[in-house]
Amino acid sequence: MGNTGGKERENQLAEKGLTHRQDETTQLEENKTEAGFIPGHHEAEICYGGEADLHKHYTGCKKNPGHINFIPVNDFNLDHLPSRYRDVIMLEVIKALSALTVLIKVKYTSLERPKSVPCFSGQYPFYNTRGSDVLRTGTGRVSRVVKYTESDNKGTCPCGKCQHSDTPSKVWGEVWVWTATHVVFDESEARQTRCVVGFDDNKSPGVSLDGWGVREADIEGDRCRFTCVSCDLELLDELDKMYQHFDGLCRKVRDKYWRFGYVDKLTVIVSHPHGCPKQVSVGQWTHVHKREVWSKYTYTTCTCPGSSGAFVYMTGYDEWLRTRPHSGSNSVENYSGEGFY
């Protein structure tokens, strides 16, 4: 039944001329930028047939057939880390990062997307689907929780549940999420976005948060921080505590492993490849590419479509200084968006 619905969806999009995947099949231009970086292809997952496409994309993946270098988050343990890092604190920081990692589902493409930008080869992602409701998925990471009470004069909760309620909650909060700008471009897209927290396996579907607005977005740096809203106070408190825990763990890891940061170059990514349950991948960063006060990294850590926007965690550095979302892949390796150098 799901396949039939997906086929009908593709037929509807074909009538609108939206199934031509130019933004997915653009040939890579192997021309390095001044920083020595090769622009490549985005890694958001696009689903012309809706969510029914996701499993099909996972099983038919050409980039990482079988996904043998991705570890389900519930199976991840110290044996998956290099010997120097087989330490409880490293396992804790990766588990905390996982708890803050969210699946992003975007059901609208902004009319304001540009035709091209320097950080991508060829056409800017999803330029051809502007104005459509074609689904795409990516990954994000919770970066802050802000709670409001009645005394803050922020009105009632704007989440979907409260908007359709006669008694909307007067106590609610915002969840700030980092991702890539090509995943969530502007407010028109944020309002049609859902973030799923806790999608760790197929038995744990997670909890959805409603997208609301964009706090900052850098097109060339490909990093965006947008907000979700919720009146689920228990979830807000849990995410807030986990972020504080993660921040503290990052500092402990920095203090213990900073001297090895440029030696081992350990790089860990937790993402939702193909919109499926959370996976952990481990590798090394290979190069840093500078642009004024900004820099991006390339790395061997495995990613797939759907990994766009995932936090690229490198040991030995403060969390805030290394906030870079996964951005894409060229013919050589994977690469991040920009952060402060």
Side-chain angles (χ1 to χ4, degrees), residues 22 37 67 91 97 102 114-115 131 150 158 180 234 249 287 299:
Q22 182 178 347
F37 168 69
H67 298 90
L91 187 60
L97 171 58
V102 299
K115 190 169 184 179
E150 194 170 351
E234 185 176 342
L249 287 171
H287 298 94
Y299 34 85

Side-chain angles (χ1 to χ4, degrees), residues 283-297:
Q284 294 178 300
W285 62 266
T286 55
H287 298 94
V288 57
H289 307 274
K290 305 175 196 174
R291 180 178 70 90
E292 298 174 350
V293 299
W294 305 97
S295 65
K296 64 175 63 186
Y297 282 75

Side-chain angles (χ1 to χ4, degrees), residues 241-276:
K241 289 177 182 177
M242 185 53 67
Y243 175 72
Q244 299 303 327
H245 182 52
F246 175 64
D247 186 48
L249 287 171
C250 283
R251 295 173 189 276
K252 290 180 180 179
V253 171
R254 175 204 62 192
D255 292 343
K256 186 168 186 177
Y257 292 105
W258 67 268
R259 67 177 68 89
F260 305 119
Y262 272 82
V263 177
D264 301 324
K265 303 180 179 180
L266 180 65
T267 304
V268 180
I269 294 176
V270 182
S271 69
H272 286 278
H274 308 286
C276 293

Side-chain angles (χ1 to χ4, degrees), residues 44-63:
E45 182 72 276
I46 188 166
C47 307
Y48 288 98
E51 293 195 33
D53 268 0
L54 293 174
H55 181 69
K56 179 176 68 177
H57 291 330
Y58 185 87
T59 57
C61 177
K62 295 180 180 179
K63 183 180 182 186

Side-chain angles (χ1 to χ4, degrees), residues 133-152:
D133 59 354
V134 174
L135 173 69
R136 66 181 173 276
T137 69
T139 303
R141 196 259 307 173
V142 173
S143 69
R144 188 178 178 187
V145 176
V146 182
K147 290 175 283 187
Y148 303 117
T149 63
E150 194 170 351
S151 62
D152 291 315

Side-chain angles (χ1 to χ4, degrees), residues 73 76-98 245-246 248-258 260-261 264-270 280-283 313-317:
V73 66
F76 190 82
N77 59 60
L78 292 177
D79 290 337
H80 293 114
L81 290 167
S83 57
R84 195 200 303 275
Y85 298 91
R86 289 175 186 167
D87 183 341
V88 172
I89 193 174
M90 280 302 304
L91 187 60
E92 282 188 18
V93 79
I94 293 170
K95 293 290 186 182
L97 171 58
S98 171
H245 182 52
F246 175 64
L249 287 171
C250 283
R251 295 173 189 276
K252 290 180 180 179
V253 171
R254 175 204 62 192
D255 292 343
K256 186 168 186 177
Y257 292 105
W258 67 268
F260 305 119
D264 301 324
K265 303 180 179 180
L266 180 65
T267 304
V268 180
I269 294 176
V270 182
V280 183
S281 50
V282 179
Y313 178 66
M314 292 174 282
T315 56
Y317 304 105

